Amino acid sequence: MTLVVALALLVGLGYGSLSLPVPYLVAAPGLTLNTIGETERGSVIEIDGAESYEHDDGMLSMVTVQYAGGPQHRLDLLTVVTAWLSPTQAVLPEELLFPAGRSLEEVSQRQTVQMNSSQTNATAAALTQLGMAYEAVPVVSGTVEGMPAHGVVESGDVIVAVDGESVPTQGGDDPETPVGSAAVVEMVGAHEPGDTIGLTLERDGEAVEEEITAAANDTGDAAVGVLVADQMDFPVDVEITVGDIGGPSAGMMFALGIMDRLSEEGLTGGADVAGSGTITADGRVGGISGIPQKMVSAQRDGAEYFFVAAESCSQVADSAAYGELEVVRVETLTDAVEALETIRTGEGELPRCE
């Protein structure tokens, strides 16, 4: 009888533990959205101010990850264990998406800001690839407490020059030439910690000269602690509609979609291409998480090729879709455009993840 009761209690405790909420997230393949396609609201990308084109074949799809769980909707242990055993899902610590001390509203707002920023950067990168001029004015959005510029440089200041050298603001000429905030970062980073850096600022319509001693950032490079955002002036109006999707990971595919809309000849040559990676205004493609699930989404929805940032190559072999897609490694938007040309013409080799 003692053994029977003990066994019953053990089974009961085991079953009960499976229903306990745990601080983990489950990442699963999400939806794909063809950036050069249509939704029930109309075109995903609409452009005013220039001739735009619609091509009947091919896809340039952004890919998402669907997350379940979170502080307000915690999953039970059974669900998490089941996901851990699934070849298409991943189990992640809750704090990766919901850092301690941040509310759900703050996380959602951050995702929205990242999405908006990725669309702006994608527009700048696409116009640069097409040789269409635009202006990027570097404006101070804040300073880092404890760094030399804190209390000296003010939010809203326009950075006009560094050490007397004008900051270039005219973009669209050369993908290799940084403008706006990217130029400011490069000009400041050319110094050594301890150097004196002269900043010429425009504040309330007046010129202000400041000399700041550079400190070292986390990587040991020179920095002054100024947060800079670009005030963009584009020759075209680009509207991208993706619903409630947030985050920065669709930047590369947005840039390619914008280029396709502005190009008389389509970029895909009829191929179905998906991909994921962030984009900077100067066209650098950055890595993101969730590649294994995104590859499954892409393969499920008919993609033949998957473009992945070089920084994310280490995730590729973990996907259940590994071997089912042609995975193409890209570091810049130029790389992605050249890969599409290779796909379109059938000439040359596609870069792969090593």
Coordinates of all heavy atoms in Angstrom, one line a residue, residues 140-174:
V140 N 21.5 64.9 -33.4 CA 21.7 64.3 -32.2 C 20.4 63.9 -31.5 O 19.5 64.7 -31.4 CB 22.5 65.2 -31.2 CG1 22.6 64.6 -29.8 CG2 23.9 65.5 -31.8
S141 N 20.2 62.6 -31.2 CA 19.0 62.1 -30.6 C 19.2 62.0 -29.1 O 18.2 61.8 -28.3 CB 18.6 60.8 -31.2 OG 19.6 59.8 -31.0
G142 N 20.4 62.0 -28.6 CA 20.7 61.9 -27.2 C 22.2 61.7 -26.9 O 23.0 61.6 -27.8
T143 N 22.6 61.6 -25.7 CA 23.9 61.4 -25.3 C 24.0 60.3 -24.2 O 23.0 60.0 -23.6 CB 24.6 62.6 -24.7 OG1 23.9 63.1 -23.6 CG2 24.7 63.7 -25.8
V144 N 25.1 59.6 -24.1 CA 25.3 58.5 -23.1 C 25.8 59.1 -21.8 O 26.9 59.8 -21.8 CB 26.3 57.5 -23.7 CG1 26.4 56.4 -22.7 CG2 25.7 56.9 -25.0
E145 N 25.1 58.9 -20.8 CA 25.5 59.4 -19.4 C 26.9 58.8 -19.1 O 27.2 57.6 -19.3 CB 24.5 59.0 -18.4 CG 24.7 59.7 -17.0 CD 23.6 59.4 -16.1 OE1 22.5 58.9 -16.5 OE2 23.7 59.8 -14.9
G146 N 27.8 59.6 -18.6 CA 29.1 59.2 -18.2 C 30.1 59.3 -19.3 O 31.3 59.2 -19.1
M147 N 29.7 59.6 -20.6 CA 30.6 59.8 -21.7 C 30.9 61.3 -21.9 O 30.1 62.2 -21.4 CB 30.0 59.2 -22.9 CG 29.9 57.7 -22.9 SD 31.6 56.9 -22.9 CE 32.0 57.1 -24.7
P148 N 32.0 61.7 -22.6 CA 32.4 63.1 -22.6 C 31.4 64.1 -23.2 O 31.4 65.2 -22.8 CB 33.6 63.0 -23.5 CG 34.1 61.6 -23.4 CD 32.9 60.8 -23.2
A149 N 30.5 63.6 -24.1 CA 29.6 64.6 -24.8 C 28.4 64.8 -23.9 O 27.6 65.8 -24.2 CB 29.2 64.0 -26.1
H150 N 28.2 64.0 -22.8 CA 27.0 64.2 -22.0 C 27.0 65.6 -21.3 O 28.0 65.9 -20.7 CB 26.9 63.1 -21.0 CG 25.6 63.1 -20.2 ND1 24.4 62.9 -20.8 CD2 25.4 63.3 -18.9 CE1 23.4 62.9 -19.8 NE2 24.0 63.2 -18.7
G151 N 26.0 66.4 -21.4 CA 25.9 67.7 -20.9 C 26.6 68.8 -21.7 O 26.5 69.9 -21.4
V152 N 27.2 68.4 -22.8 CA 27.8 69.3 -23.7 C 27.1 69.4 -25.0 O 26.7 70.5 -25.5 CB 29.3 68.9 -24.0 CG1 30.0 69.9 -25.0 CG2 30.1 68.8 -22.7
V153 N 26.8 68.3 -25.6 CA 26.0 68.2 -26.8 C 24.5 68.0 -26.4 O 24.2 67.2 -25.5 CB 26.5 67.1 -27.7 CG1 25.6 67.0 -29.0 CG2 28.0 67.3 -28.1
E154 N 23.6 68.6 -27.2 CA 22.2 68.6 -26.8 C 21.4 67.9 -27.9 O 21.8 67.9 -29.1 CB 21.6 70.0 -26.6 CG 22.3 70.8 -25.5 CD 21.7 72.2 -25.4 OE1 20.8 72.5 -26.1 OE2 22.3 73.0 -24.6
S155 N 20.3 67.2 -27.5 CA 19.4 66.6 -28.4 C 18.9 67.7 -29.4 O 18.5 68.8 -28.9 CB 18.2 65.9 -27.7 OG 18.7 64.9 -26.9
G156 N 18.8 67.3 -30.6 CA 18.4 68.3 -31.7 C 19.5 69.0 -32.3 O 19.3 69.6 -33.4
D157 N 20.7 68.9 -31.8 CA 21.9 69.6 -32.5 C 22.1 68.8 -33.8 O 22.1 67.6 -33.9 CB 23.1 69.4 -31.6 CG 23.1 70.4 -30.4 OD1 22.2 71.2 -30.3 OD2 24.0 70.2 -29.6
V158 N 22.4 69.6 -34.8 CA 22.8 69.0 -36.1 C 24.4 69.1 -36.1 O 25.0 70.1 -35.9 CB 22.3 69.9 -37.3 CG1 22.8 69.3 -38.6 CG2 20.8 69.8 -37.3
I159 N 25.0 67.9 -36.4 CA 26.4 67.8 -36.5 C 26.9 68.3 -37.9 O 26.6 67.5 -38.9 CB 26.9 66.4 -36.2 CG1 26.5 66.0 -34.8 CG2 28.5 66.4 -36.3 CD1 26.9 64.6 -34.4
V160 N 27.5 69.4 -38.0 CA 27.8 70.0 -39.3 C 29.2 69.6 -39.7 O 29.5 69.3 -40.9 CB 27.7 71.5 -39.2 CG1 28.2 72.2 -40.5 CG2 26.3 72.0 -38.8
A161 N 30.2 69.5 -38.8 CA 31.5 69.2 -39.1 C 32.2 68.5 -38.0 O 31.9 68.7 -36.8 CB 32.3 70.5 -39.6
V162 N 33.3 67.7 -38.3 CA 34.1 67.1 -37.3 C 35.6 67.5 -37.6 O 36.1 67.3 -38.7 CB 34.0 65.6 -37.3 CG1 35.0 64.9 -36.3 CG2 32.6 65.1 -37.1
D163 N 36.2 68.2 -36.6 CA 37.6 68.7 -36.8 C 37.6 69.7 -38.0 O 38.6 69.7 -38.7 CB 38.6 67.6 -36.9 CG 38.7 66.8 -35.6 OD1 38.6 67.4 -34.6 OD2 38.9 65.6 -35.8
G164 N 36.6 70.4 -38.2 CA 36.6 71.4 -39.3 C 36.2 70.8 -40.6 O 36.1 71.5 -41.6
E165 N 36.1 69.5 -40.7 CA 35.8 68.8 -42.0 C 34.3 68.6 -42.1 O 33.7 68.0 -41.2 CB 36.5 67.5 -42.1 CG 36.2 66.8 -43.4 CD 36.9 65.4 -43.5 OE1 37.8 65.1 -42.7 OE2 36.7 64.7 -44.5
S166 N 33.6 69.1 -43.1 CA 32.2 69.0 -43.2 C 31.7 67.6 -43.3 O 32.4 66.7 -44.0 CB 31.7 69.8 -44.5 OG 32.0 71.1 -44.4
V167 N 30.7 67.3 -42.6 CA 30.1 65.9 -42.7 C 29.3 65.8 -44.0 O 28.4 66.6 -44.2 CB 29.1 65.7 -41.5 CG1 28.5 64.3 -41.6 CG2 29.9 65.8 -40.2
P168 N 29.6 64.8 -44.8 CA 28.9 64.7 -46.1 C 27.5 64.2 -45.8 O 27.2 63.3 -45.0 CB 29.7 63.6 -46.8 CG 30.4 62.9 -45.8 CD 30.7 63.9 -44.7
T169 N 26.5 64.9 -46.5 CA 25.1 64.5 -46.3 C 24.4 64.1 -47.5 O 23.3 63.7 -47.5 CB 24.4 65.8 -45.7 OG1 24.4 66.9 -46.6 CG2 24.9 66.2 -44.3
Q170 N 25.1 64.2 -48.7 CA 24.5 63.9 -49.9 C 24.7 62.4 -50.2 O 25.8 62.0 -50.5 CB 25.1 64.7 -51.1 CG 24.3 64.6 -52.4 CD 23.0 65.3 -52.4 OE1 22.8 66.3 -51.7 NE2 22.0 64.7 -53.1
G171 N 23.7 61.6 -50.1 CA 23.8 60.2 -50.4 C 23.3 59.8 -51.8 O 22.8 60.6 -52.5
G172 N 23.5 58.5 -52.2 CA 23.1 58.1 -53.4 C 24.1 58.0 -54.5 O 23.9 57.5 -55.6
D173 N 25.4 58.4 -54.2 CA 26.4 58.4 -55.2 C 27.2 57.1 -55.2 O 27.5 56.6 -56.3 CB 27.4 59.6 -55.0 CG 26.7 60.9 -55.1 OD1 25.8 61.0 -56.0 OD2 27.0 61.9 -54.4
D174 N 27.6 56.6 -54.0 CA 28.5 55.5 -53.9 C 28.2 54.7 -52.6 O 28.2 55.3 -51.5 CB 29.9 56.0 -53.9 CG 31.0 54.9 -53.8 OD1 30.6 53.7 -53.9 OD2 32.2 55.2 -53.7

